[in-house]
Every structure is written in C-alpha cells, then in structure tokens.
Amino acid sequence: MDFDLIVRVYPFFIDAAGVTILLSALTALLGLACGALGAAARLSRFALARFVGATYVSVFRGTPALIQLFILYFGGPQIGIELDAFEAGVIGLGINAGAYMTETIRGAIISIDKGQKEAARTLGLSRWQAMYKIILPQAARLMVRPLGVNLNMLIKATALVAAISVVELTYTAQRYIGSTYKPFEMFLLAGILYMIIIYATGRAVAWLDRRVQIT
Amino acid sequence: MTDHKEFVQIRHAQKSFGALEVLKDISLTVERGQIVAIIGPSGSGKSTLLRAINDLDPLTGGEVWLDGVQVNRSLPFRQYEKHINQMRQDIGMVFQHFNLFPHMTARENVTMAPKMLKGLSKDEADALAREQLDKVGMLERIDYYPSQLSGGQKQRVAIARALAMKPKLMLFDEATSALDPELVDEVNQVMKKLAEEHMTMIIVTHEMDFAASVCDRVLFMDQGVVVEEGPPEVVFKSPEKERTRAFLRKHLEGAR
Ligand SMILES: Nc1ncnc2c1ncn2[C@@H]1O[C@H](COP(=O)(O)OP(=O)(O)OP(=O)(O)O)[C@@H](O)[C@H]1O
Ligand SMILES: [Mg+2]
C-alpha cells in the first residue's frame, strides 16, 4: 500500500468527490421532479396519462442506466441533442432515477388509507384539496425512507458517468491508475469517499425521517 | 332554506358492483329533524345506501335529494365535482373507523375544512373549534393528536369535525362498532344530544337499544331491499315480517 501516493493524489480526489456530490444533488432534484410528475401521471384519472406514466417507468427501469446514458450522450447528437458530458450525466441519471422515484412516491400515496380521502371528500374538499392537504402530507412522511434508498442507489449510479468521461470520482480514479499503475490504492480511495458521501446522506435521511414522523 | 317535508329523499336507488346488485330499488324519505336508523345483517347494503347519499358510492340508478336539490345530478365532470363538493358541505358523515387526520390535532381536524372552504379567519376557526369540541366534551384535548386519544374520544372529535361544517344532515355508519364496549356510551351520548337539537340523522347501527331510544323510524334491510320500516316500537317489538323477526332473534342471541 502506497500511502505517500494516496496523500499526494487525495486533494484531486476531494475535488472529484465534489463533482460527484454536485452530480448527485442535481440528479436527485431532477429525479424528484420526474418522480412527482410520473406519480401524478400514474395516478391520473386519464387513461392516457396513466399509460404514459407506466411506460416511462417500465422503459427506464427495464433497461440499463448505462445504455440510457450512452444513447443520450453518444446517440443524442444524431437526433439533434447536443449535451456536454456533465449535462448528459445529470439528465440521463435524473430521468432514470425519476422512474424509480415515481414508484416510490406512488407507493406512498396509495398506501394511505382510503378512509382519509373519503373523510376529506365528505367534508367537501375537492380531489386536489384532499390530495395536498390530507394525502400528501401523510404520504410525504412515508416517502422519506424509500426515497433515501433511491438516493443511495442514485449516488452509486453516478459512477456510471465515468463512462462518458465526466470527471467525477470513478473517472478520476481511473485516470490516476493510468499514470500510477496502482488500481488498489486508487479505487480504495474512491470507494472510501463514496462511502463517506453515502453514510452522510443516510444519516441525513434518517434524521429527516425522525423529524417528520407524526408524534 | 325551504320547508320541504321530504328533506331527504331517495328514489328508486339501485346499485350494482359489477354483477352484484347491492341495492334493489330502495326508496326512503326523511323529514327535517327526523332520525332514521338502518339495521340489517352484514352485507345487506346499509353502508352502500348511506354512502350513496353523499355520493361516496355513486348509485347506478335512482335519485338522491336533499332539501330540494338533487345530490346525484348528471352533470359534466367538472361541474359535477363543483356541485357535489358543495352538497357534501351540507352532509356530515361519521365513519366506523373515525378517519381522523392523523397529522392534525383535534383543533386542526375540526377547523381544516371550514377554513379552507368557508374562508374562516384564524380567530373564527378557533372559536368554532372550541365550540364544537366543547359540544362533544373534548375541549380539554383540543391540541391532542388522534394517536393520543382513545377510540371514543377520536369518534367524538370526528363528530365535531363533521358538525363544524354546519351540516343539514348527519350520516353515521356504525359509529360505535369499532369501540370497546365501555367507550360506546360516550359517543351515544353525543348522538343523543344531537337528536335533542333536532339534527336530521341517518344512522346505520347494530345497537338495537340505542336505535330504539333515539330514532323516529327504523328501516330493516336485507339483501338490498327494505324489508320492513316503521316506528321502533313496532319494528323491534312486533315486526310483521318473518325475516325481521329472525334477524332480531339472532341479534338478541348474539348480544347475550
Ligand atoms: N366497493 C365494492 N366493490 C364490490 N362490492 C362491494 C363494494 N362495497 C360493498 N360491496 C358489496 O356490497 C354488499 C353490501 O355491502 P355493504 O357494505 O353496503 O353492507 P353492510 O350492510 O354495510 O354490511 P356491514 O354490516 O358488514 O357493514 C356486500 O356484499 C359487499 O361485499
Ligand atoms: Mg357497513
């Protein structure tokens, strides 16, 4: 184990970890937006919207994220979508994560006892009022943990964008292996940084989950 | 407010779930201030009938009228939603399992809908919550969450929540069936109080004694039809139909 080397390259890995964090954060935000839209579509009273939502979920969960990234980044220019690697990474992973989050959000919403909606509607609330005042606040509390799982998977999935040469942790590790021939140290260092990011995120999710529970 | 003698009117109600016909041509009239109890064996369609009144379970045939307005009018979707939301403000409903909003305190449960739908100010809503919770004897628990209340207390808050909309009609679907026996009475007392205030009520219940003590009329339903209907003295003491007698006999045995 070459500790000197680790000490020497470690600042560059910290920078790369910053890129991974930024990538994860943007992906998570886009994923949440897609997830919310997807869940709304899947729960819509319009059959067409439900179909679109279900198709979105099965396509993006039914194919490898790596292929989706390749299609977007390498195939995109052919159909007029010009994105730099980072943009393609965020958009590709965000849309992919959104498919998983769609199911998470939908699952939380439909698990709320239907008596809640009935009670709300009985008082005279509209569908939408019942949804945002009664169902969503309860479902949101149930979503925190499973969305935390989605987030965990999403952070790990950011490693895929190394394949389209976004300079994040995994790509940085690969690059330093090229010049140092020390894959063990380099991947270990990357792995530890991933673990720290994921551990911190997990703690944040657990904290949030405790905070939002109903008494 | 007009003085329709037929305050609530159900005309030829018919309801099917797929091939299963649950309500078969039921008609029922309730006058203002009247209290009607609906009894009958499990699966006879009591809940379905009650839930048809505020359109939670829309009828597949027939009409429901409240105070001169048809509840289940046929309108385009958006207009219908507006109409039914308006109608439902006048129809309070109390459920077997309370269905209180667990993320809200008793106060918030009571004031949520009036604030949202009637634009009450914070002070008005607060006064309303106190008034309604006091009425059901729950004022001291005004800032408790449902999870901190007993079943009977939950149900009383649920009644206060319904009353806060100042409904013209109250529907109770086995309001005490999910309660431990010692908690039943506190809820019954609240319902009796409403009866004394001449609230129009339709009560689905398994409690014959309670039904006999508060209601003006009893409806015995079986297999989607009204088998027998009349004042409680008659239906409970000397029913005409054999099916009613059999049900009451079985029920009394069950109670023992
Ligand atoms: N949503 C539904 N889909 C299909 N069948 C239903 C539905 N709701 C009720 N039913 C059926 O309709 C019949 C009447 O049900 P309902 O709940 O009105 O009976 P009930 O008299 O209230 O019985 P209980 O005393 O058990 O509450 C039952 O056979 C029931 O299985
Ligand atoms: Mg029932």
Side-chain angles (χ1 to χ4, degrees), chain A residues 6-47:
Chain A
I6 290 180
V7 171
R8 223 165 351 105
V9 300
Y10 136 86
F12 301 101
F13 276 70
I14 294 293
D15 287 349
V19 176
T20 290
I21 291 170
L22 180 65
L23 189 62
S24 300
L26 294 176
T27 301
L29 286 178
L30 180 60
L32 273 176
C34 291
L37 280 176
R42 291 218 48 183
L43 296 168
S44 167
R45 67 188 172 87
F46 298 108

Side-chain angles (χ1 to χ4, degrees), chain B residues 7 13 23 25 58 70 122 138 177 182 242:
Chain B
F7 190 57
L23 301 178
D25 191 25
Q70 188 179 352
K122 206 175 166 310
M138 287 297 294
S177 291
E182 72 272 19
E242 176 46 37

Side-chain angles (χ1 to χ4, degrees), chain B residues 186-250:
Chain B
E186 62 189 69
V187 174
N188 282 346
Q189 290 307 323
V190 170
M191 290 168 70
K192 278 210 170 110
K193 201 156 142 190
L194 289 180
E196 282 156 17
E197 295 171 5
H198 305 291
M199 172 64 81
T200 312
M201 301 197 265
I202 304 178
I203 301 172
V204 171
T205 182
H206 280 145
E207 280 184 88
M208 305 306 154
D209 291 339
F210 177 70
S213 71
V214 295
C215 67
D216 303 300
R217 212 142 51 88
V218 183
L219 228 75
F220 171 64
M221 277 181 72
D222 193 12
Q223 295 179 4
V225 296
V226 176
V227 175
E228 186 158 357
E229 169 179 3
E233 314 76 88
V234 177
V235 176
F236 288 127
K237 300 271 156 49
S238 48
E240 280 173 22
K241 301 286 196 315
E242 176 46 37
R243 260 153 96 188
T244 318
R245 276 197 289 272
F247 170 77
L248 289 171
R249 214 163 35 235
K250 226 170 118 190

Side-chain angles (χ1 to χ4, degrees), chain A residues 45 113-116 118-127 129 132-134 137-138 141 214-215, chain B residues 51 54 56 77 81 85 88-89 91 93 95 99-104 112 116-117 145 147 161 165:
Chain A
R45 67 188 172 87
D113 179 47
K114 78 176 188 354
Q116 292 291 309
E118 287 182 353
R121 296 303 310 273
T122 298
L123 290 164
L125 269 65
S126 69
R127 284 158 183 265
Q129 287 170 328
Y132 86 77
K133 195 76 187 173
I134 304 301
Q138 295 181 56
R141 293 167 162 92
I214 302 165
T215 46
Chain B
R51 291 159 56 88
N54 61 6
L56 273 186
F77 182 82
E81 284 290 299
N85 292 338
R88 282 176 178 156
Q89 294 191 22
I91 308 174
M93 187 167 214
F95 301 87
N99 300 354
L100 283 181
F101 307 129
H103 58 304
M104 295 181 180
M112 184 274 296
M116 190 169 222
L117 303 173
Y145 282 91
S147 61
R161 174 177 71 179
M165 289 303 286

Side-chain angles (χ1 to χ4, degrees), chain B residues 17 20 22 41-48 174 206:
Chain B
F17 290 106
L20 180 70
V22 176
S42 187
S44 55
K46 307 180 295 293
S47 296
T48 308
E174 300 194 27
H206 280 145

Side-chain angles (χ1 to χ4, degrees), chain B residues 75-147:
Chain B
L75 289 170
F77 182 82
R78 273 172 200 286
Q79 275 165 275
Y80 185 72
E81 284 290 299
K82 257 184 109 159
H83 160 77
I84 196 67
N85 292 338
Q86 198 62 45
M87 293 299 301
R88 282 176 178 156
Q89 294 191 22
D90 292 336
I91 308 174
M93 187 167 214
V94 176
F95 301 87
Q96 182 175 357
H97 296 288
F98 331 124
N99 300 354
L100 283 181
F101 307 129
H103 58 304
M104 295 181 180
T105 61
R107 181 202 307 267
E108 292 164 343
N109 265 279
V110 171
T111 56
M112 184 274 296
K115 269 162 115 171
M116 190 169 222
L117 303 173
K118 297 186 169 175
L120 262 61
S121 70
K122 206 175 166 310
D123 288 348
E124 290 167 330
D126 205 60
L128 179 70
R130 294 180 160 278
E131 177 198 345
Q132 296 305 334
L133 287 169
D134 191 31
K135 188 173 201 165
V136 300
M138 287 297 294
L139 188 53
E140 317 93 273
R141 302 281 157 108
I142 188 165
D143 288 317
Y144 282 48
Y145 282 91
S147 61

